[in-house]
């Protein structure tokens, strides 16, 4: 009841400010009223962002950093919790983190750039570029297209090593896997379904896309990401660490509890099993906002390729539990906004990390959030954290100047 009253009061306050602004126009004093209204709006944005970040730490996340870029290009940040559980230093506003599957949006962008210059086609088969790689146990690269890899409809089964305990983590956290090894593991299994018949989120398809980028260009996928996206946009804190298990400063430590009755484990230092295009990049909230704003505003792709990227299909029922209303494009997901329309972005999860980025359809307003130390003991706990993260993004993208809407 109290939160509803606060929201009602805010809506009434915004209505009053709009009426005052209109009066100022009539009186010829617009130049003094508009800056005040913008400043008040930004203060509202900052308070909402901070409240949503605090709500995440209340659910058991040790550290949160979030950054909202408004339609006029201003950065608003919020942090909550602590960067580590030993000396409890504050979470840095510009901390580095492993972006996990958000990497897929970068890889997809490179693929679509290659289609734009006619180096390949979305309808090319995997076999054309990687002869004999996808074969055996019913797997057939001749029947799978590049588009299906991008949109998780290839049917290829994922087989990834995972840490089962603290002892397993300490034993294997520096292990590395080549893309060929990852694909070979998948080929030991029959496909989950025939290509194009269903949708299931997977990682091996993006490992194959990384290999295709290398086959077409002669350079590893991460070098193409660097040369085509990172350097042109000035993403100075986005890079592929390779086999390095450490993060540059500043960064938060991240933690994992492998079983409910086990102590927390600091899992910050690790190579991770996904470094070959399905994941693998390190970035910051500022860099990810810049990337997604550039992508959706048409600075990275020609109009035809951006249209392909935004052509979505339905996702599975299981996936919708984590991302209600989501539809899958090519390396991008669309999600409905409570204020109307949709936003675009991607989410990622790694040991101890969860990250998400979202941008409005015009590319003018974006938000990125990184969670470190997601200390949950059940699937329900994880779901509550993901829901709170989604609320942060929705609140940030829906709180626009002069918005006149009824919140949830």
């Amino acid at each position: 009841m109290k939160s509803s009253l606060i929201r009602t009061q805010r809506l009434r306050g915004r209505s009053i400010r709009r009426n005052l602004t209109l009066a100022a126009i009539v009186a010829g004093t617009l130049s003094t009223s508009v800056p005040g209204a913008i400043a008040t709006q930004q203060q509202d944005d900052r308070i909402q962002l901070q409240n949503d970040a605090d709500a995440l730490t209340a659910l058991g996340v040790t550290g949160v950093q979030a950054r909202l870029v408004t339609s006029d290009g201003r950065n608003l940040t919020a942090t909550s919790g602590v960067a580590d559980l030993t000396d409890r230093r504050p979470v840095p506003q510009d901390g580095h983190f492993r972006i996990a599957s958000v990497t897929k949006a970068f890889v997809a962008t490179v693929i679509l750039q290659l289609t734009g210059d006619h180096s390949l086609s979305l309808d090319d088969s995997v076999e054309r570029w990687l002869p004999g790689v996808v074969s055996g146990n019913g797997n057939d690269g001749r029947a799978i297209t590049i588009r299906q890899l991008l949109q998780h409809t290839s049917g290829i089964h994922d087989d990834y090593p995972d840490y089962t305990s603290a002892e397993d983590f300490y034993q294997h956290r520096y292990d590395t896997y080549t893309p060929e090894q990852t694909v070979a593991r998948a080929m030991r299994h029959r496909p989950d379904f025939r290509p194009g018949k269903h949708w299931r989120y997977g990682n091996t398809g993006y490992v194959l896309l990384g290999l295709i980028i290398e086959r077409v260009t002669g350079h590893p996928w991460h070098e193409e990401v660097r040369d085509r996206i990172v350097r042109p946009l000035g993403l100075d804190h986005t890079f592929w660490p390779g086999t390095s298990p450490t993060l540059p400063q500043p960064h938060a430590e991240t933690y994992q509890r492998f079983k409910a009755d086990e102590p927390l484990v600091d899992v910050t230092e690790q190579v991770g099993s996904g470094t070959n295009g399905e994941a693998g990049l390190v970035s910051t909230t500022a860099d990810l906002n810049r990337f997604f704003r550039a992508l959706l505003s048409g600075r990275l792709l020609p109009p035809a390729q951006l249209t392909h990227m935004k052509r979505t299909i339905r996702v599975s029922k299981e996936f919708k539990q984590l991302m209600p209303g989501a539809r899958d494009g090519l390396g991008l997901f669309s999600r409905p906004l409570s204020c109307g329309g949709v936003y675009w972005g991607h989410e990622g999860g790694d040991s101890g990390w969860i990250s998400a980025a979202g941008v409005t359809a015009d590319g003018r307003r974006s938000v990125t959030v990184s969670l470190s130390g997601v200390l949950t003991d059940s699937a329900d706990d994880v779901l509550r954290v993901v829901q709170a993260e989604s609320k942060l993004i929705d609140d940030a993208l829906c709180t626009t100047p002069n918005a006149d809407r009824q919140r949830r």
Side-chain angles (χ1 to χ4, degrees), residues 71-329:
S71 57
D72 59 358
R74 302 196 185 196
N75 279 254
L76 306 177
T77 61
T79 63
S80 187
V82 295
D84 69 85
L85 295 176
T86 303
D87 59 21
R88 306 193 71 81
R89 57 190 170 87
V91 176
Q93 293 182 346
D94 56 351
H96 297 84
F97 55 95
R98 296 187 180 94
I99 70 172
S101 284
V102 182
T103 302
K104 291 181 173 68
F106 288 80
V107 170
T109 299
V110 171
I111 289 287
L112 285 162
Q113 287 178 344
L114 292 173
T115 69
D117 62 21
H118 306 291
S119 296
L120 53 77
S121 167
L122 293 177
D123 296 321
D124 286 347
S125 70
V126 175
E127 181 70 13
R128 174 176 177 179
W129 295 105
L130 303 174
V133 172
V134 177
S135 62
N137 293 312
N139 296 284
D140 187 355
R142 298 170 300 178
I144 300 172
T145 66
I146 290 176
R147 186 192 305 273
Q148 289 167 342
L149 294 180
L150 287 165
Q151 206 157 39
H152 303 290
T153 58
S154 70
I156 294 173
H157 182 84
D158 269 348
D159 181 1
Y160 270 74
D162 197 9
Y163 306 124
T164 59
S165 65
E167 292 75 15
D168 190 48
F169 168 76
Y170 288 125
Q171 183 177 356
H172 295 291
R173 61 174 167 166
Y174 301 126
D175 291 355
T176 60
Y177 302 89
T178 67
E180 291 80 8
Q181 287 174 324
T182 299
V183 173
R185 289 176 69 104
M187 294 302 104
R188 298 172 190 168
H189 304 267
R190 293 194 60 80
D192 293 334
F193 51 82
R194 290 174 57 192
K197 294 302 181 181
H198 298 286
W199 184 96
R200 178 173 292 172
Y201 187 85
N203 291 297
T204 307
Y206 274 76
V207 176
L208 288 165
L209 289 168
L211 288 170
I212 290 172
I213 289 172
E214 184 167 3
R215 182 62 59 89
V216 173
T217 67
H219 307 120
W221 68 270
H222 51 87
E223 291 184 5
E224 290 296 316
V225 165
R226 179 195 64 197
D227 295 341
R228 292 169 174 267
I229 300 173
V230 170
R231 286 178 174 170
L233 293 181
L235 307 182
D236 296 333
H237 302 284
T238 300
F239 63 97
W240 183 71
T243 59
S244 172
T246 60
L247 291 173
Q249 294 292 348
H251 68 265
E253 303 296 307
T254 192
Y255 304 87
Q256 185 170 343
R257 181 181 287 114
F258 290 95
K259 294 180 181 178
D261 57 347
E262 289 185 348
L264 294 177
V265 176
D266 186 331
V267 295
T268 311
E269 185 173 317
Q270 61 167 304
V271 175
S273 58
T275 61
N276 295 310
E278 75 283 40
L281 293 180
V282 170
S283 190
T284 62
T285 57
D287 274 11
L288 288 185
N289 275 331
R290 184 177 297 180
F291 164 66
F292 279 104
R293 284 162 62 86
L295 178 60
L296 269 295
S297 63
R299 292 172 55 195
L300 292 174
L301 293 174
Q305 277 63 50
L306 186 57
T307 297
H308 278 296
M309 194 176 222
K310 295 168 67 177
R311 191 167 294 151
T312 61
I313 62 175
R314 290 181 296 179
V315 301
S316 65
K317 292 181 179 179
E318 296 79 10
F319 198 79
K320 279 190 174 182
Q321 293 178 3
L322 292 174
M323 295 174 58
R327 292 179 62 86
D328 187 20

Side-chain angles (χ1 to χ4, degrees), residues 312 315 319-328 332-338 340-347 356-361 386-387 389-391 393-394 397:
T312 61
V315 301
F319 198 79
K320 279 190 174 182
Q321 293 178 3
L322 292 174
M323 295 174 58
R327 292 179 62 86
D328 187 20
L332 277 181
F333 288 95
S334 71
R335 299 278 303 273
L337 285 167
S338 64
V342 301
Y343 72 86
W344 298 89
H346 211 291
E347 300 196 4
V359 60
T360 53
V386 172
Q387 289 171 340
E389 178 191 61
S390 295
K391 182 180 183 300
I393 292 176
D394 183 85
L397 297 181

